[in-house]
Amino acid sequence: MANASSCRILIFFFLLYNTLFLTSTHQYHPLDPLTPSELSRVRTIVKGSNPSPGFNLTFHYVGLDEPDKQTILSWILDPCTKKPPRRALVNTRAGKKTREIVVDLSKNSVISNRVYDGDGYPMLTFEEQIAANKLAMSYAPFTASISKRGLKLEEVVCESFTIGWYGEKAGNNRVVRVMCYYLDGTVNLYMRPIEGITLTVDLDTMKIMKYYDRLMVPVPKAEGTEYRGSEQKPPFVQSLKAITVLQPEGPSFSIDGNTVRWVNWVFHLGFDMRAGQVISLASIYDLDKDEYRRVLYRAYISELFVPYMDLTEEWYYRTFFDTGEYGFGLCAVPLEPLRDCPANAVFMDGYFTGQDGTPGTIPNVFCIFERHAGDVIWRHTESGIPGRVVREVRPEVSLVVRMVSAVGNYDYIVDWEFKQSGTIKFTVGLTGLLEVRGSIYTHTDQIQEEVYGTLLAENTMGAHHDHFLIYHLDLDVDGDANSFVKSTLQTTRVSNTISPRKSYWTVVRETAKTESNARIQLGSKPAELLVVNPNKKTKVGNPVGYRLIPGSVAGSILSDDDYAQIRGAFSKYHVWVTPYNKSEKWAGGLYADQSQGDDNLAIWSLRNREIENTDIVLWYTLGFHHVPCQEDFPLMPTLSGGFELRPANFFEHNPVLKIKPPKDVMWTNCSSSMKA
């Protein structure tokens, strides 16, 4: 889903209304996210520049304006050279205009300030959503509608929903639609929608522009919707016995500022209020070459598209862009030790900017821990040698970086897992609450029409919907000159007498020349997808590379002319490849709210630029089609999906042949609240 209630409530109270922050003493890194003190300076500089005199200035995004890639790479080779500039990118609103401002922190000045006059709007702030939701409570027609339904006003809570775009030429004002829910015996508000009532609120004027009470539908019962452990009644599922994660010598990784080092990996970890986790400069140590080799320059979730399939008046516009409209990082929540993360986890905080420019903090936004779950990284038992049995086993230990983003009703558990084999595994777990529609139906036998969902309980319809997460993966496989290779597995008939076999399969390789050659819908044919460095080869002549191992092949099945699909066109293909361009970061467009699909990945790719043996970006769409079932009620068990990037001729041989198992399988680390 997509509205930001849960994250608003949890994070709004972490806003810091002073500038007395602890500053890190670690070595400077040009990709470090902006610190609280830097965010405060940005606020002071922007306000001091008076970009919109006479109007209330609101901040919608503040993040690092990262230096050019080649500047970063040059600095890494020689950190003693001049430090790259430290700049902030700021999106503000004032006087119904959006501004793009660049602040140079080294000069304490604004170096760029322009009005954006295109389609779409910047991210919503928590504060304006809260203000919009409150308007309903003092609006006479609304209170009358609540009274008409026999509901208690004090038990009503409201949420703001972005409205999308449906072909309007001039676009709409910056508005949201406010829908409401009923508590009265439960905290599971999403299971008790008040259908038929809609308020349209202009966020710039903070006024109700439209109101209608279209129909009355029974509010689903509170009974059976409670999910808090303290409120559950017997009988209970049998309890597990104690499970402990022990590391007597402490963790095997170290954190210096935002740089993480673990066994054979080193990478930079940052937080962005739009993207959430940002992994940069991931390199792996090659024992044979005695050097770290580049794998991934920069990676993050670029957009999360969640279109619902319900066409009723209160639902058709629910086609959310959770990253660009609400902020995937902004909705990240503090992780709970021993629940969200194991006892051996180390935690890091994240920083963001409130509507007035004041810095805020999300404590424990990341946890980093070593996973030892009983998996095996490799093994073999050899019993074919007469009189001998050879057995070798190596347990797998990996490093996990975790964040949870609670975007309204859904909680997304996002893991980046680094393995000693060189594999990077990307996993997303979907849990939380479904978005349900109130219904007149109490049994499936009564349904004689299209209801766009599944009847989960009496008067409770779980709407069909999708989740499409697109990852921006700037791979630099042993350097930044890379190519994308699609290897198709083809059946070949045996047409002569060389074998009694009738067929076999062979590999047909094609190197993509331009962007159009690299758009791929998975699932129709078996294929191997690789990013290779054609300028680097192994000793036996294979180009070094990394292979994409897809997970789910769910892709959008909306029509191309559907307005939601025009905006979320990246979901049509699982794989896109573009040449590196610093400005091409957000697959749904920089201004996703009410965007019209004219500045997104699909549009950029129409230029059909050359992508062979150059600096390229791989975009991967991880999709879920969700047909709700009763097991998803009243709270959904975690549904996980993911994909991997795995070495393919990157090493000369198995890179984990010489790894040693942990000294002691009984790990100890009694602290459950370690801080980086």
Side-chain angles (χ1 to χ4, degrees):
M1 225 301 284
N3 77 71
S5 171
S6 300
C7 51
R8 284 204 303 272
I9 295 170
L10 285 167
I11 298 176
F12 183 70
F13 297 104
F14 289 113
L15 279 172
L16 305 179
Y17 291 101
N18 60 71
T19 58
L20 300 177
F21 298 100
L22 296 176
T23 57
S24 175
T25 58
H26 77 276
Q27 184 179 2
Y28 163 88
H29 195 293
L31 291 180
D32 284 348
L34 298 176
T35 65
S37 60
E38 288 176 322
L39 292 172
S40 290
R41 288 171 55 201
V42 169
R43 177 180 185 266
T44 299
I45 294 167
V46 170
K47 282 183 169 290
S49 70
N50 198 22
S52 302
F55 295 101
N56 180 45
L57 179 69
T58 57
F59 291 75
H60 295 259
Y61 173 83
V62 180
L64 177 70
D65 183 21
E66 63 192 74
D68 292 334
K69 184 173 182 178
Q70 291 306 316
T71 301
I72 294 291
L73 296 177
S74 298
W75 178 86
I76 291 171
L77 291 174
D78 185 7
C80 295
T81 59
K82 183 180 179 181
K83 295 178 180 179
R86 190 77 170 153
R87 293 174 177 169
L89 178 63
V90 184
N91 289 146
T92 64
R93 288 281 293 174
K96 297 188 176 183
K97 293 182 178 180
T98 299
R99 287 186 177 272
E100 299 173 349
I101 301 171
V102 177
V103 174
D104 190 322
L105 288 164
S106 62
K107 299 178 180 178
N108 287 318
S109 64
V110 171
I111 61 172
S112 176
N113 181 353
R114 78 178 190 93
V115 173
Y116 171 73
D117 56 5
D119 298 316
Y121 298 106
M123 287 166 38
L124 278 64
T125 70
F126 292 158
E127 295 89 335
E128 64 189 355
Q129 292 176 71
I130 292 170
N133 298 338
K134 287 181 178 178
L135 290 176
M137 300 305 169
S138 58
Y139 188 61
F142 176 79
T143 59
S145 294
I146 296 300
S147 177
K148 181 175 65 174
R149 287 166 170 77
L151 305 178
K152 307 170 192 174
L153 186 63
E154 64 271 18
E155 296 291 340
V156 175
V157 293
C158 299
E159 303 292 341
S160 297
F161 294 82
T162 53
I163 66 167
W165 170 72
Y166 293 92
E168 304 90 347
K169 297 299 183 182
N172 290 299
N173 291 337
R174 189 166 175 266
V175 300
V176 292
R177 288 184 180 165
V178 175
M179 309 289 292
C180 300
Y181 302 85
Y182 198 54
L183 298 175
D184 198 21
T186 184
V187 297
N188 196 341
L189 62 133
Y190 292 103
M191 294 304 111
R192 306 201 73 196
I194 304 172
E195 291 293 340
I197 302 174
T198 304
L199 302 91
T200 301
V201 176
D202 188 310
L203 294 177
D204 287 326
T205 63
M206 205 50 68
K207 293 181 179 179
I208 296 173
M209 308 304 294
K210 295 179 182 178
Y211 177 80
Y212 62 80
D213 183 351
R214 191 174 68 90
L215 79 169
M216 289 180 60
V217 174
V219 175
K221 299 175 183 177
E223 180 183 358
T225 64
E226 186 60 72
Y227 55 84
R228 290 174 293 175
S230 61
E231 299 300 315
Q232 301 303 312
K233 302 294 188 294
F236 297 105
V237 177
Q238 182 178 343
S239 298
L240 296 171
K241 294 183 179 180
I243 300 175
T244 306
V245 179
L246 304 170
Q247 277 185 291
E249 297 177 333
S252 298
F253 62 89
S254 63
I255 302 176
D256 177 18
N258 290 79
T259 299
V260 181
R261 293 179 174 85
W262 176 72
V263 190
N264 53 349
W265 279 103
V266 60
F267 58 90
H268 184 276
L269 172 62
F271 174 80
D272 179 82
M273 63 186 286
R274 180 164 178 166
Q277 295 150 307
V278 180
I279 301 291
S280 304
L281 303 172
S283 297
I284 190 166
Y285 181 72
D286 187 325
L287 186 63
D288 293 334
K289 294 180 179 291
D290 190 25
E291 66 180 20
Y292 279 92
R293 299 170 63 191
R294 291 160 56 187
V295 176
L296 194 63
Y297 176 73
R298 203 153 171 83
Y300 50 88
I301 293 174
S302 176
E303 190 54 84
L304 170 52
F305 176 39
V306 187
Y308 281 77
M309 301 300 128
D310 192 321
L311 303 187
T312 56
E313 181 66 26
E314 292 78 19
W315 279 77
Y316 75 88
Y317 55 85
R318 301 190 193 197
T319 55
F320 303 109
F321 288 71
D322 284 354
T323 297
E325 293 175 341
Y326 295 98
F328 202 59
L330 199 58
C331 291
V333 294
L335 298 174
E336 185 176 346
L338 303 180
R339 297 292 184 268
D340 287 313
C341 310
N344 61 325
V346 173
F347 294 83
M348 294 176 64
D349 297 342
Y351 305 104
F352 66 99
T353 295
Q355 180 172 288
D356 68 350
T358 301
T361 185
I362 308 173
N364 292 1
V365 71
F366 299 145
C367 72
I368 305 163
F369 60 92
E370 288 165 289
R371 172 179 282 157
H372 187 343
D375 296 323
V376 175
I377 198 167
W378 67 260
R379 77 168 330 276
H380 181 62
T381 298
E382 181 56 70
S383 56
I385 303 173
R388 297 177 62 187
V389 175
V390 178
R391 180 181 296 110
E392 289 285 332
V393 185
R394 298 293 183 273
E396 178 159 59
V397 180
S398 59
L399 185 73
V400 177
V401 179
R402 174 169 295 167
M403 185 190 84
V404 173
S405 185
V407 192
N409 54 304
Y410 263 104
D411 291 45
Y412 295 90
I413 305 165
V414 183
D415 284 357
W416 301 64
E417 185 174 0
F418 294 83
K419 301 191 176 190
Q420 295 179 75
S421 62
T423 294
I424 306 175
K425 184 177 181 181
F426 307 79
T427 305
V428 176
L430 282 62
T431 182
L433 310 172
L434 292 177
E435 187 76 37
V436 305
R437 175 167 56 86
S439 170
I440 62 173
Y441 300 114
T442 59
H443 195 279
T444 57
D445 289 348
Q446 303 166 345
I447 301 173
Q448 301 294 325
E449 60 179 337
E450 174 63 74
V451 292
Y452 313 110
T454 304
L455 189 66
L456 304 175
E458 291 185 2
N459 308 118
T460 306
M461 195 70 65
H464 299 153
H465 60 282
D466 296 321
H467 304 259
F468 297 113
L469 301 98
I470 184 163
Y471 286 76
H472 174 284
L473 304 166
D474 183 0
L475 284 154
D476 279 3
V477 178
D478 225 12
D480 54 13
N482 288 177
S483 295
F484 179 71
V485 177
K486 178 182 178 181
S487 299
T488 304
L489 310 186
Q490 292 187 356
T491 302
T492 301
R493 295 286 298 177
V494 178
S495 58
N496 51 38
T497 60
I498 63 171
S499 171
R501 294 275 297 275
K502 298 298 184 183
S503 67
Y504 66 102
W505 59 258
T506 188
V507 180
V508 179
R509 295 180 175 85
E510 176 189 0
T511 299
K513 304 293 185 182
T514 62
E515 292 173 273
S516 62
N517 303 137
R519 300 184 201 121
I520 296 174
Q521 291 178 327
L522 296 169
S524 57
K525 294 181 180 179
E528 296 278 306
L529 306 175
L530 297 95
V531 174
V532 303
N533 187 327
N535 311 295
K536 303 282 184 70
K537 299 184 184 299
T538 62
K539 291 178 181 178
V540 297
N542 292 310
V544 302
Y546 256 73
R547 178 172 48 172
L548 170 68
I549 301 180
S552 164
V553 295
S556 179
I557 50 179
L558 297 176
S559 63
D560 289 345
D561 62 350
D562 190 328
Y563 293 110
Q565 184 61 30
I566 291 171
R567 299 175 66 223
F570 62 81
S571 60
K572 181 175 181 177
Y573 296 100
H574 297 95
V575 177
W576 305 71
V577 180
T578 60
Y580 170 80
N581 184 324
K582 178 185 170 182
S583 68
E584 295 177 359
K585 298 177 63 174
W586 310 112
L590 176 59
Y591 299 102
D593 180 25
Q594 296 187 47
S595 63
Q596 299 184 13
D598 53 6
D599 177 30
N600 58 25
L601 174 59
I603 295 299
W604 308 333
S605 183
L606 289 177
R607 286 175 279 179
N608 204 24
R609 296 160 292 185
E610 294 183 358
I611 56 172
E612 185 179 14
N613 198 13
T614 189
D615 194 357
I616 58 176
V617 175
L618 176 72
W619 306 76
Y620 177 75
T621 305
L622 174 63
F624 300 83
H625 297 306
H626 193 173
V627 179
C629 57
Q630 287 186 241
E631 288 80 3
D632 296 333
F633 176 87
L635 182 142
M636 176 182 165
T638 300
L639 171 66
S640 296
F643 65 100
E644 295 184 7
L645 293 173
R646 185 182 178 102
N649 301 315
F650 188 83
F651 298 102
E652 293 292 341
H653 52 75
N654 181 352
V656 291
L657 187 66
K658 296 183 179 181
I659 67 167
K660 296 180 179 180
K663 294 179 182 178
D664 189 349
V665 296
M666 296 295 291
W667 297 3
T668 186
N669 182 344
C670 296
S671 171
S672 63
S673 58
M674 296 172 60
K675 276 282 191 177

